[in-house]
Amino acid sequence: MSYRVTLLPGDGIGPEVTAAMKEVVAASGVDIQWDEIDVGLLAMEKGKPALPEEALKSLRRNKVGLKGPVTTPVGRGHVSVNVMLRKQLNLYANVRPIKSFRGVGARYENVDLVVVRENTEDVYAGVEHEVTPGVVECVKIITWEGSTRVAKYAFDYARRMGRQKITAVHKANIMKLSDGLFLKACQKVAKRYPDIQYEEAIVDAACMKLVMNPQAFDVLLCENLYGDIISDLCGGFIGGIGLAAGANIGEKGALFETVHGSAPDIAGKGIANPTAMILAAAMMLDYLGEHAAARRIRTALEQVIAQKRHVTPDIGGKATTMEMGTAVAQRVKE
Ligand code: ATP
């Protein structure tokens, strides 16, 4: 089977980690036709907008995209490409797997959890106003539809990926209506998945338990704000920003990406860690149903990192981005 995927390498270290990722995916044998389009600074250098219309068109057509980091220039008039993509494609769920790698000297070991974050509602609707001088109001919007949609995605994901348990994170003891609605939606969806264990945790207690024993969690299901905070907290478990990937899921498609930014301080040096981009590609292969190839890529990556011989300087090695990519590709072929 052949797939057509929109590839947005991004800018900064984006094109470097993209080249390494392409070699690894090619080694997996899955036939992917890349629709490669410049976005961010590289598009702007050619006199185009940071998010050219052709990129959106391609994503709408292919329904699956893979994206490297994109710089948001500081200053007025520059809207983040990431935010634009999320809005334009109505990507309602953010999925961030957090899995420890052996050999990177992270503080925690054997962490293997996934944060599923609702991505369109909550306080991010940006509805804020001044009631009277010195008093402002920020509106938190939670809907039955939005909560049900993300909960359903989380349970389907858990089932597809062989995960056992979902923990809905909330503060319904204080926000009885909004978080209460979110919980009711999660509970209703949970009833349809008797094979997946369901539990609830109050966000503050969940944070403490996460820091003390992250191994106790499997899939965390969160509203937008709690999900934002918890996914970064969990990112710290695995040590190193170059090691995490995420997915943005919509009703009509999905966009996979690195969690790290464009890292201008090391761009062009060929030393960026390609792990996040390779993991993003593996998540994409899972989404396409190519689970065996995704698994092979993840295992190869784990082995190369554990061995330490062909890894980039950020995790204690001397290899270049391409050398690490080639080492992973070699293992995938074996
Ligand atoms: P943004 O606002 O786009 O998230 P940022 O500057 O806050 O950007 P990053 O661009 O992710 O964050 O960079 C943070 C630090 O991590 C930098 O020192 C960068 O060099 C390093 N870094 C990020 N990604 C990688 C990577 N793939 N390999 C090695 N180092 C990385």
Side-chain angles (χ1 to χ4, degrees), residues 13 241-242 260-263 265-266 272-273 314:
I13 58 171
I241 194 160
H260 63 73
S262 55
D265 51 334
I266 57 164
N273 188 334
D314 58 305

Side-chain angles (χ1 to χ4, degrees), residues 13 17 69-72 82 241-243 259-266 271-276 312 314:
I13 58 171
V17 294
V70 183
T71 309
T72 303
N82 301 317
I241 194 160
L243 303 175
V259 168
H260 63 73
S262 55
D265 51 334
I266 57 164
I271 53 165
N273 188 334
T275 298
T312 46
D314 58 305

Side-chain angles (χ1 to χ4, degrees), residues 49-324:
L51 180 59
E53 192 51 40
E54 54 179 315
L56 281 172
K57 262 197 203 146
S58 169
L59 282 165
R60 289 203 181 100
R61 192 174 55 237
N62 296 331
K63 299 185 173 51
V64 185
L66 183 54
K67 185 179 77 60
V70 183
T71 309
T72 303
V74 181
R76 292 171 75 90
H78 291 294
V79 185
S80 150
V81 167
N82 301 317
V83 173
M84 273 197 284
L85 280 167
R86 208 173 298 150
K87 288 205 166 144
Q88 290 281 339
L89 302 172
N90 195 14
L91 301 170
Y92 67 85
N94 182 268
V95 185
R96 174 118 40 120
I98 305 283
K99 188 165 191 291
S100 304
F101 283 101
R102 275 190 302 126
V104 296
R107 195 176 290 233
Y108 291 81
E109 279 175 358
N110 303 321
V111 180
D112 183 7
L113 57 85
V114 182
V115 183
V116 176
R117 165 188 173 192
E118 202 289 327
N119 225 354
T120 62
E121 305 193 332
D122 204 343
V123 289
Y124 291 73
V127 184
E128 280 193 311
H129 46 252
E130 188 177 50
V131 180
T132 190
V135 183
V136 292
E137 197 170 67
C138 169
V139 180
K140 165 163 171 162
I141 298 183
I142 301 293
T143 69
W144 178 259
E145 193 195 344
S147 305
T148 303
R149 180 169 72 170
V150 73
K152 193 166 174 316
Y153 177 80
F155 277 90
D156 281 337
Y157 175 90
R159 193 176 265 175
R160 195 168 62 243
M161 301 299 289
R163 298 250 166 203
Q164 316 290 323
K165 183 175 76 173
I166 291 197
T167 308
V169 177
H170 68 95
K171 189 81 186 173
N173 50 334
I174 304 296
M175 279 161 282
K176 294 185 169 50
L177 278 183
S178 53
D179 285 12
L181 182 69
F182 177 76
L183 279 189
K184 272 193 205 129
C186 293
Q187 290 159 4
K188 184 156 186 220
V189 173
K191 288 211 174 77
R192 284 189 265 149
Y193 296 81
D195 49 320
I196 310 281
Q197 197 190 329
Y198 173 74
E199 64 175 26
E200 294 165 355
I202 296 179
V203 60
D204 40 344
C207 284
M208 185 180 75
K209 199 168 164 195
L210 270 168
V211 172
M212 292 180 66
N213 184 20
Q215 294 83 1
F217 293 90
D218 196 352
V219 178
L220 290 149
L221 171 56
C222 308
E223 290 168 3
N224 208 342
L225 178 62
Y226 308 146
D228 190 4
I229 297 166
I230 283 185
S231 48
D232 267 22
L233 183 150
C234 292
F237 294 147
I238 54 174
I241 194 160
L243 303 175
N248 292 294
I249 307 291
E251 264 153 17
K252 296 195 186 107
L255 183 63
F256 301 85
E257 64 187 8
T258 61
V259 168
H260 63 73
S262 55
D265 51 334
I266 57 164
K269 294 187 180 156
I271 53 165
N273 188 334
T275 298
M277 194 66 181
I278 294 169
L279 284 176
M283 282 183 91
M284 178 199 76
L285 289 171
D286 270 324
Y287 181 83
L288 294 172
E290 296 286 347
H291 298 297
R295 213 173 308 121
R296 281 216 319 279
I297 289 176
R298 274 192 280 261
T299 305
L301 200 48
E302 280 162 18
Q303 289 171 349
V304 167
I305 291 175
Q307 258 201 349
K308 289 185 168 186
R309 262 197 298 137
H310 302 286
V311 298
T312 46
D314 58 305
I315 49 173
K318 289 197 179 86
T320 65
T321 307
M322 270 328 275
E323 281 163 1
M324 183 166 172

